[in-house]
Amino acid sequence: MLKRLVLSLVVLAGAAGAQERPVVAAVNYPLAWMAERLGGSAIEVLFPVPDGQDPSFWRPGLSEIAAIQRADVIALNGAGFAGWTARTSLPRSRVVDTSAGFSDAYIATESVTHSHGADGEHSHTGIASYTWLDFAQAARQAEALAAAMQRRILAATDGVAAALPALTADLEALDGETRKALAGLQGTTILATHPRYQYLARAYGLKIDALDWEAGAMPDADQWQALNDRAAETGATLLIWEAAPPPKAIDRAADMGLRSVVFAPLATRPTDGDFLSVMRAQVSDLAGNAP
């Protein structure tokens, strides 16, 4: 009986310890991945966006907001990403805007209002928000997140300090690899199915002309005509898809003389691999389609 009681207390203590791990809430997958790299098993990473929804425009419910508000660190992307954060009361002492340090390098965009599936109507307004697609900027976001974690989670300070150099080195290496790999695409126009790639284009000297299609969907007749017209105007022979489209869409684009490459911005968690491995593979695929 005594042994059973002791065992029960040990189990309960272990469960309590697991529940007491510090929490880092992230508004997108790149920040969640960075937090995982920095904190390891010493922290819990909360990335509550459901599969199949776009974190840029997802709106959390009351229970999700409550969980985020309780987090020890709330990692925001900044640059207008996740508009719900501007309309929700979040504890300021726990919030870190990871791109604030380079806000003077934000890219201004035109305003477009449209709707994408379950996410409803929304606008691309004011500022391009996929900042991490400039991998040097992503390294700065990692540094900002690490500083916030060290400030707010004292028990993880040493672990974060030890993990940060490897994380920033990986991102800086990816930046250098991408700059070299994509040099062959400079001077040509690339078409893209969605306006996500402004920072990628600026960082690596690309000219990307974006349409505004729903990710992964089969384009309608008007969209195909717009693509055909844009290809004729620009002379583009390469089309970036934000998400894998139906195979028939790839074939239809090929009939227009366009080679297709899927380059997911990774705002959401990939099915396989992690941020670093998937980005490296996608950069390689894109470089492989240089003229």
Side-chain angles (χ1 to χ4, degrees), residues 26 28-40 45 47 138 142 145 166-168 170-171 174 266 269-270 273-277:
N28 58 35
Y29 168 64
L31 292 177
W33 172 75
M34 292 175 192
E36 291 165 353
R37 287 280 306 262
L38 290 167
V45 176
F47 177 47
L145 176 57
L167 174 57
T168 55
D170 281 344
L171 290 168
L174 178 60
L266 294 188
R269 190 180 296 274
D274 64 7
F275 181 87
L276 194 63
S277 64

Side-chain angles (χ1 to χ4, degrees), residues 104-172:
D104 58 343
Y106 288 164
I107 296 174
T109 64
E110 296 180 2
S111 177
V112 178
T113 301
H114 59 179
S115 112
H116 281 321
D119 296 312
E121 187 174 89
H122 56 261
S123 299
H124 299 283
T125 57
I127 299 172
S129 59
Y130 280 50
T131 53
W132 63 87
L133 290 179
D134 175 338
F135 303 125
Q137 288 184 169
R140 294 185 64 182
Q141 290 185 259
E143 291 169 345
L145 176 57
M149 290 172 66
Q150 289 175 299
R151 185 172 61 253
R152 289 290 311 170
I153 308 173
L154 297 181
T157 296
D158 291 345
V160 171
L164 178 61
L167 174 57
T168 55
D170 281 344
L171 290 168
E172 288 164 0

